[in-house]
Coordinates of all heavy atoms in Angstrom, one line a residue:
V72 N 0.1 -2.2 15.9 CA 0.6 -2.8 17.2 C -0.1 -4.1 17.4 O 0.5 -5.2 17.9 CB 0.4 -1.8 18.3 CG1 0.6 -2.4 19.7 CG2 1.2 -0.6 18.0
R73 N -1.4 -4.2 17.3 CA -2.3 -5.3 17.6 C -2.0 -6.4 16.6 O -1.9 -7.5 17.0 CB -3.8 -4.9 17.4 CG -4.7 -6.1 17.8 CD -6.1 -5.6 17.9 NE -6.6 -4.7 16.9 CZ -6.9 -5.2 15.6 NH1 -6.9 -6.7 15.4 NH2 -7.3 -4.4 14.7
V74 N -1.8 -6.1 15.3 CA -1.4 -7.3 14.3 C -0.1 -7.9 14.8 O -0.1 -9.2 14.7 CB -1.3 -6.6 12.9 CG1 -0.6 -7.6 12.0 CG2 -2.6 -6.1 12.4
V75 N 0.9 -7.1 15.1 CA 2.3 -7.7 15.6 C 2.0 -8.5 16.8 O 2.4 -9.6 16.9 CB 3.2 -6.7 15.7 CG1 4.5 -7.2 16.5 CG2 3.5 -6.1 14.4
N76 N 1.3 -8.0 17.8 CA 1.2 -8.6 19.1 C 0.2 -9.9 18.8 O 0.6 -11.0 19.5 CB 0.4 -7.8 20.0 CG 1.3 -6.7 20.6 OD1 2.5 -6.7 20.5 ND2 0.8 -5.6 21.1
E77 N -0.7 -10.0 18.1 CA -1.5 -11.2 17.9 C -0.7 -12.2 17.1 O -0.9 -13.3 17.4 CB -2.8 -10.9 17.1 CG -3.9 -10.0 17.9 CD -5.3 -9.9 17.1 OE1 -5.4 -10.6 16.2 OE2 -6.0 -9.1 17.7
T78 N 0.1 -11.8 16.3 CA 1.0 -12.7 15.5 C 2.0 -13.4 16.5 O 2.1 -14.6 16.5 CB 1.7 -12.1 14.4 OG1 0.9 -11.5 13.5 CG2 2.7 -13.0 13.7
L79 N 2.5 -12.6 17.4 CA 3.6 -13.0 18.4 C 3.0 -13.9 19.5 O 3.6 -14.6 20.2 CB 4.4 -11.9 18.9 CG 5.3 -11.2 17.9 CD1 5.9 -10.1 18.5 CD2 6.4 -12.3 17.4
S80 N 1.6 -13.8 19.6 CA 0.9 -14.6 20.6 C 0.8 -16.1 20.1 O 0.6 -16.9 21.0 CB -0.4 -14.0 20.9 OG -1.3 -14.2 19.9
V81 N 1.0 -16.3 18.9 CA 0.9 -17.7 18.2 C 2.3 -18.0 17.9 O 2.7 -19.3 18.2 CB -0.1 -17.6 17.0 CG1 -0.1 -19.0 16.4 CG2 -1.4 -17.2 17.5
Y82 N 3.1 -17.3 17.2 CA 4.3 -17.7 16.7 C 5.5 -17.1 17.6 O 5.3 -16.1 18.2 CB 4.6 -17.1 15.2 CG 3.6 -17.7 14.2 CD1 2.7 -16.9 13.5 CD2 3.4 -19.1 14.1 CE1 1.9 -17.4 12.6 CE2 2.5 -19.8 13.3 CZ 1.8 -18.8 12.5 OH 0.9 -19.3 11.5
K83 N 6.7 -17.7 17.6 CA 7.7 -17.4 18.4 C 8.4 -16.1 17.9 O 8.8 -15.1 18.7 CB 8.8 -18.5 18.5 CG 9.9 -18.2 19.3 CD 11.0 -19.3 19.4 CE 12.2 -19.1 20.3 NZ 13.1 -20.2 20.2
T84 N 8.5 -15.8 16.5 CA 9.1 -14.8 15.9 C 8.3 -14.3 14.7 O 7.4 -15.0 14.3 CB 10.5 -15.0 15.6 OG1 10.7 -16.0 14.5 CG2 11.4 -15.5 16.7
I85 N 8.6 -13.2 14.2 CA 8.3 -12.7 12.8 C 9.6 -12.5 12.1 O 10.4 -11.6 12.4 CB 7.5 -11.5 12.9 CG1 6.2 -11.6 13.5 CG2 7.3 -10.9 11.4 CD1 5.4 -10.3 13.8
D86 N 9.9 -13.5 11.3 CA 11.2 -13.4 10.5 C 11.2 -12.6 9.2 O 12.1 -12.1 8.7 CB 11.5 -14.9 10.1 CG 11.6 -15.9 11.4 OD1 12.6 -15.8 12.1 OD2 10.6 -16.6 11.6
V87 N 9.9 -12.7 8.6 CA 9.8 -12.1 7.2 C 8.6 -11.1 7.4 O 7.5 -11.5 7.9 CB 9.6 -13.0 6.2 CG1 9.2 -12.4 4.9 CG2 10.7 -14.0 6.1
L88 N 8.7 -9.8 7.0 CA 7.7 -8.8 7.0 C 7.5 -8.4 5.5 O 8.5 -7.8 4.9 CB 8.1 -7.7 7.8 CG 7.1 -6.6 7.9 CD1 5.6 -7.2 8.5 CD2 7.5 -5.5 8.8
I89 N 6.2 -8.6 5.0 CA 6.1 -8.3 3.6 C 4.9 -7.3 3.6 O 3.8 -7.5 4.0 CB 5.7 -9.5 2.7 CG1 6.7 -10.5 2.7 CG2 5.2 -9.0 1.3 CD1 6.3 -11.8 2.0
H90 N 5.2 -6.0 3.1 CA 4.4 -4.9 3.3 C 3.6 -4.9 1.8 O 3.9 -4.1 1.0 CB 5.0 -3.6 3.5 CG 5.7 -3.4 4.9 ND1 5.0 -3.0 5.8 CD2 7.0 -3.7 5.1 CE1 5.8 -2.8 6.8 NE2 7.1 -3.3 6.5
N91 N 2.7 -5.7 1.7 CA 1.8 -5.8 0.6 C 0.7 -4.8 0.4 O 0.4 -4.2 -0.6 CB 1.4 -7.2 0.2 CG 0.5 -7.4 -0.9 OD1 0.9 -7.2 -2.0 ND2 -0.8 -7.6 -0.5
A92 N 0.0 -4.6 1.6 CA -1.1 -3.8 1.6 C -0.7 -2.4 1.3 O 0.2 -1.9 1.8 CB -1.9 -3.9 2.9
G93 N -1.6 -1.6 0.6 CA -1.4 -0.2 0.3 C -2.6 0.5 -0.3 O -3.0 0.0 -1.4
P94 N -3.3 1.3 0.4 CA -4.4 1.9 -0.2 C -4.2 2.6 -1.5 O -3.1 3.2 -1.7 CB -4.9 3.0 1.0 CG -4.1 2.5 2.2 CD -2.9 1.9 1.8
Y95 N -5.2 2.6 -2.3 CA -5.1 3.2 -3.6 C -6.5 3.7 -4.0 O -7.5 3.0 -3.9 CB -4.7 2.1 -4.6 CG -4.4 2.6 -6.1 CD1 -3.2 3.1 -6.4 CD2 -5.3 2.4 -7.0 CE1 -3.0 3.6 -7.7 CE2 -5.1 2.8 -8.3 CZ -3.9 3.5 -8.7 OH -3.6 3.8 -9.8
I96 N -6.7 4.9 -4.6 CA -7.8 5.6 -5.0 C -7.9 5.5 -6.6 O -7.0 6.0 -7.2 CB -8.0 6.9 -4.5 CG1 -8.2 6.9 -3.0 CG2 -9.2 7.6 -5.2 CD1 -8.3 8.4 -2.3
H97 N -8.8 4.7 -7.1 CA -8.9 4.5 -8.5 C -9.3 5.8 -9.3 O -9.1 6.0 -10.5 CB -9.7 3.3 -8.9 CG -9.1 2.0 -8.5 ND1 -8.1 1.4 -9.3 CD2 -9.2 1.3 -7.4 CE1 -7.6 0.2 -8.7 NE2 -8.4 0.2 -7.5
E98 N -10.1 6.6 -8.5 CA -10.6 7.7 -9.2 C -9.5 8.6 -9.6 O -8.6 8.9 -8.9 CB -11.6 8.3 -8.3 CG -12.2 9.7 -8.9 CD -13.0 10.5 -7.8 OE1 -13.3 9.9 -6.7 OE2 -13.6 11.6 -8.2
R99 N -9.4 9.2 -10.9 CA -8.5 10.0 -11.3 C -8.8 11.5 -10.9 O -9.7 12.2 -11.2 CB -8.4 10.0 -13.0 CG -8.0 8.7 -13.4 CD -8.5 8.6 -14.9 NE -7.9 9.5 -15.8 CZ -6.7 9.4 -16.4 NH1 -5.9 8.4 -16.1 NH2 -6.1 10.4 -17.2
K100 N -7.9 12.0 -9.9 CA -8.1 13.4 -9.5 C -6.8 14.0 -9.2 O -5.8 13.4 -8.9 CB -8.9 13.3 -8.2 CG -8.4 12.5 -7.0 CD -9.1 12.6 -5.7 CE -10.6 11.9 -5.9 NZ -11.2 12.1 -4.6
K101 N -6.8 15.3 -9.4 CA -5.6 16.1 -9.2 C -5.4 16.3 -7.7 O -6.3 16.2 -6.9 CB -5.7 17.5 -9.9 CG -5.5 17.3 -11.5 CD -5.6 18.7 -12.1 CE -5.4 18.4 -13.6 NZ -5.4 19.8 -14.3
L102 N -4.1 16.8 -7.4 CA -3.9 17.0 -5.9 C -4.8 17.8 -5.2 O -5.2 17.5 -4.1 CB -2.4 17.6 -5.8 CG -1.8 17.9 -4.4 CD1 -0.4 17.9 -4.5 CD2 -2.3 19.3 -4.0
T103 N -5.3 18.9 -5.8 CA -6.2 19.8 -5.1 C -7.7 19.2 -4.8 O -8.4 19.9 -4.0 CB -6.4 21.1 -5.8 OG1 -6.7 20.8 -7.2 CG2 -5.0 21.9 -5.8
D104 N -7.8 18.1 -5.6 CA -9.2 17.5 -5.5 C -9.3 16.4 -4.4 O -10.3 15.9 -4.1 CB -9.6 16.8 -6.8 CG -9.8 17.9 -8.0 OD1 -10.4 19.0 -7.5 OD2 -9.5 17.6 -9.1
Y105 N -8.1 16.0 -3.8 CA -8.0 15.1 -2.7 C -8.5 15.7 -1.4 O -8.2 16.9 -1.1 CB -6.6 14.6 -2.5 CG -6.1 13.4 -3.5 CD1 -5.5 13.8 -4.6 CD2 -6.5 12.1 -3.1 CE1 -5.2 12.8 -5.5 CE2 -6.1 11.2 -4.0 CZ -5.4 11.4 -5.2 OH -4.9 10.5 -5.9
S106 N -9.3 15.0 -0.7 CA -9.8 15.6 0.6 C -8.6 15.4 1.5 O -7.6 14.5 1.3 CB -11.0 14.9 1.2 OG -10.6 13.5 1.5
L107 N -8.6 16.1 2.7 CA -7.4 15.9 3.6 C -7.4 14.5 4.2 O -6.4 13.9 4.5 CB -7.7 17.0 4.8 CG -7.6 18.5 4.4 CD1 -7.8 19.3 5.7 CD2 -6.3 18.7 3.8
E108 N -8.7 14.0 4.4 CA -8.8 12.5 4.8 C -8.3 11.6 3.8 O -7.6 10.6 4.3 CB -10.3 12.2 5.2 CG -10.9 13.0 6.3 CD -11.2 14.4 6.1 OE1 -11.3 14.7 4.8 OE2 -11.3 15.2 6.9
E109 N -8.5 11.7 2.6 CA -8.0 10.8 1.5 C -6.5 10.9 1.6 O -5.7 9.8 1.5 CB -8.5 11.1 0.2 CG -10.0 10.9 0.1 CD -10.5 11.3 -1.3 OE1 -10.0 12.3 -1.7 OE2 -11.3 10.6 -1.8
W110 N -5.8 12.1 1.5 CA -4.5 12.2 1.5 C -3.8 11.6 2.8 O -2.8 10.8 2.6 CB -4.2 13.8 1.5 CG -2.7 14.0 1.4 CD1 -1.7 14.1 2.5 CD2 -1.8 14.1 0.2 NE1 -0.4 14.2 2.0 CE2 -0.5 14.3 0.6 CE3 -2.1 14.2 -1.1 CZ2 0.6 14.4 -0.3 CZ3 -1.1 14.2 -2.1 CH2 0.1 14.5 -1.7
D111 N -4.3 11.8 4.0 CA -3.8 11.3 5.1 C -3.8 9.8 5.1 O -2.8 9.0 5.5 CB -4.4 11.7 6.3 CG -4.1 13.2 6.7 OD1 -3.2 13.8 6.2 OD2 -5.0 13.8 7.5
Y112 N -5.0 9.2 4.5 CA -5.1 7.8 4.5 C -4.1 7.1 3.6 O -3.4 6.0 3.9 CB -6.6 7.4 4.2 CG -6.9 5.9 4.4 CD1 -6.9 5.4 5.7 CD2 -7.0 5.0 3.3 CE1 -7.1 4.1 6.0 CE2 -7.2 3.7 3.6 CZ -7.4 3.2 4.8 OH -7.5 1.8 5.1
L113 N -3.9 7.7 2.4 CA -2.9 7.1 1.5 C -1.4 7.2 2.0 O -0.7 6.2 1.8 CB -3.1 7.9 0.2 CG -4.4 7.5 -0.7 CD1 -4.4 8.5 -1.9 CD2 -4.3 6.1 -1.1
I114 N -1.2 8.2 2.6 CA 0.1 8.4 3.2 C 0.4 7.5 4.4 O 1.5 6.8 4.4 CB 0.5 9.8 3.7 CG1 0.4 10.9 2.4 CG2 1.8 10.1 4.3 CD1 1.5 10.6 1.4
N115 N -0.7 7.4 5.2 CA -0.5 6.5 6.3 C -0.3 5.1 5.9 O 0.5 4.2 6.3 CB -1.7 6.6 7.3 CG -1.5 7.9 8.1 OD1 -0.5 8.4 8.4 ND2 -2.7 8.4 8.6
G116 N -1.2 4.7 4.9 CA -1.3 3.3 4.6 C -0.1 2.8 3.7 O 0.3 1.6 3.7
N117 N 0.5 3.7 2.8 CA 1.5 3.3 2.0 C 3.0 3.6 2.6 O 3.9 3.1 2.0 CB 1.4 4.0 0.7 CG 0.1 3.4 -0.1 OD1 0.2 2.3 -0.6 ND2 -0.8 4.2 -0.2
L118 N 3.1 4.5 3.5 CA 4.3 5.0 4.0 C 4.5 4.9 5.5 O 5.3 4.1 6.1 CB 4.7 6.4 3.6 CG 6.1 6.9 4.1 CD1 7.1 6.1 3.5 CD2 6.1 8.4 3.7
N119 N 3.6 5.5 6.3 CA 3.7 5.4 7.8 C 3.5 4.0 8.3 O 4.1 3.6 9.3 CB 2.8 6.3 8.3 CG 3.0 7.9 8.1 OD1 4.3 8.2 7.8 ND2 2.1 8.8 8.3
S120 N 2.7 3.2 7.6 CA 2.5 1.8 8.0 C 3.7 1.0 8.0 O 3.9 0.2 9.0 CB 1.4 1.2 7.3 OG 1.9 1.2 5.8
V121 N 4.7 1.4 7.1 CA 5.9 0.5 7.0 C 6.8 1.0 8.3 O 7.5 0.2 8.8 CB 6.6 0.8 5.7 CG1 7.9 0.2 5.6 CG2 5.8 0.4 4.6
F122 N 6.8 2.2 8.5 CA 7.5 2.7 9.7 C 6.9 2.0 11.0 O 7.6 1.4 11.8 CB 7.4 4.2 9.9 CG 7.8 4.7 11.3 CD1 9.2 4.6 11.7 CD2 6.8 5.2 12.2 CE1 9.5 5.1 13.0 CE2 7.2 5.6 13.4 CZ 8.6 5.5 13.9
Y123 N 5.7 2.1 11.2 CA 4.9 1.4 12.3 C 5.3 -0.1 12.5 O 5.8 -0.5 13.7 CB 3.4 1.5 12.2 CG 2.8 2.9 12.1 CD1 1.6 3.1 11.3 CD2 3.5 3.9 12.8 CE1 1.1 4.4 11.3 CE2 2.9 5.3 12.6 CZ 1.7 5.4 11.9 OH 1.1 6.7 11.8
L124 N 5.2 -0.8 11.5 CA 5.4 -2.3 11.4 C 6.9 -2.6 11.6 O 7.3 -3.5 12.4 CB 4.8 -3.0 10.3 CG 3.2 -3.0 10.2 CD1 2.8 -3.5 8.8 CD2 2.7 -4.0 11.4
S125 N 7.6 -1.8 10.8 CA 9.1 -2.2 10.9 C 9.7 -1.8 12.3 O 10.6 -2.6 12.8 CB 9.9 -1.4 9.8 OG 9.3 -1.6 8.5
K126 N 9.2 -0.7 12.9 CA 9.8 -0.3 14.2 C 9.4 -1.5 15.2 O 10.1 -1.7 16.2 CB 9.1 0.9 14.6 CG 9.6 1.4 16.0 CD 9.1 2.9 16.3 CE 9.4 3.3 17.8 NZ 10.8 3.4 17.9
L127 N 8.2 -2.2 15.1 CA 7.9 -3.2 16.0 C 8.6 -4.5 15.7 O 8.9 -5.2 16.6 CB 6.3 -3.4 15.9 CG 5.5 -2.3 16.3 CD1 4.0 -2.5 15.7 CD2 5.5 -2.3 17.9
V128 N 8.9 -4.8 14.5 CA 9.4 -6.1 14.1 C 10.9 -6.2 14.0 O 11.5 -7.2 14.3 CB 8.8 -6.5 12.6 CG1 9.5 -7.7 12.1 CG2 7.3 -6.7 12.8
I129 N 11.6 -5.0 13.6 CA 12.9 -5.0 13.6 C 13.8 -5.4 14.8 O 14.8 -6.2 14.8 CB 13.6 -3.6 13.1 CG1 13.3 -3.5 11.5 CG2 15.0 -3.5 13.2 CD1 13.6 -2.2 10.9
P130 N 13.3 -5.0 16.0 CA 14.0 -5.5 17.2 C 13.9 -7.0 17.4 O 14.9 -7.6 17.9 CB 13.2 -4.7 18.4 CG 12.7 -3.5 17.7 CD 12.3 -3.9 16.4
I131 N 12.9 -7.6 17.0 CA 12.8 -9.1 17.1 C 13.8 -9.7 16.1 O 14.4 -10.6 16.4 CB 11.3 -9.5 16.7 CG1 10.4 -8.8 17.6 CG2 11.1 -11.0 16.6 CD1 8.8 -9.0 17.1
M132 N 13.9 -9.1 14.9 CA 14.9 -9.7 13.9 C 16.3 -9.4 14.5 O 17.1 -10.4 14.2 CB 14.6 -9.0 12.5 CG 13.2 -9.3 11.8 SD 13.1 -8.4 10.4 CE 11.6 -9.0 9.7
R133 N 16.6 -8.3 15.0 CA 18.0 -8.1 15.5 C 18.3 -9.2 16.5 O 19.5 -9.6 16.5 CB 17.9 -6.7 16.2 CG 18.0 -5.6 15.2 CD 17.9 -4.2 16.1 NE 18.0 -3.0 15.2 CZ 17.7 -1.8 15.7 NH1 17.5 -1.7 17.0 NH2 17.9 -0.8 14.9

Side-chain angles (χ1 to χ4, degrees):
V72 172
R73 181 167 51 77
V74 165
V75 170
N76 287 341
E77 288 188 14
T78 301
L79 291 175
S80 72
V81 178
Y82 300 122
K83 184 178 179 181
T84 65
I85 296 174
D86 306 281
V87 176
L88 178 61
I89 299 173
H90 294 277
N91 169 72
Y95 185 83
I96 294 177
H97 290 277
E98 180 184 356
R99 292 159 62 88
K100 57 173 69 180
K101 292 185 177 181
L102 179 149
T103 53
D104 295 325
Y105 279 91
S106 69
L107 296 179
E108 292 75 19
E109 286 174 329
W110 182 272
D111 287 345
Y112 192 68
L113 287 174
I114 298 297
N115 285 336
N117 288 291
L118 178 58
N119 290 339
S120 61
V121 179
F122 166 71
Y123 300 148
L124 288 171
S125 298
K126 181 174 174 62
L127 293 165
V128 170
I129 285 174
I131 300 168
M132 295 177 173
R133 285 176 178 171

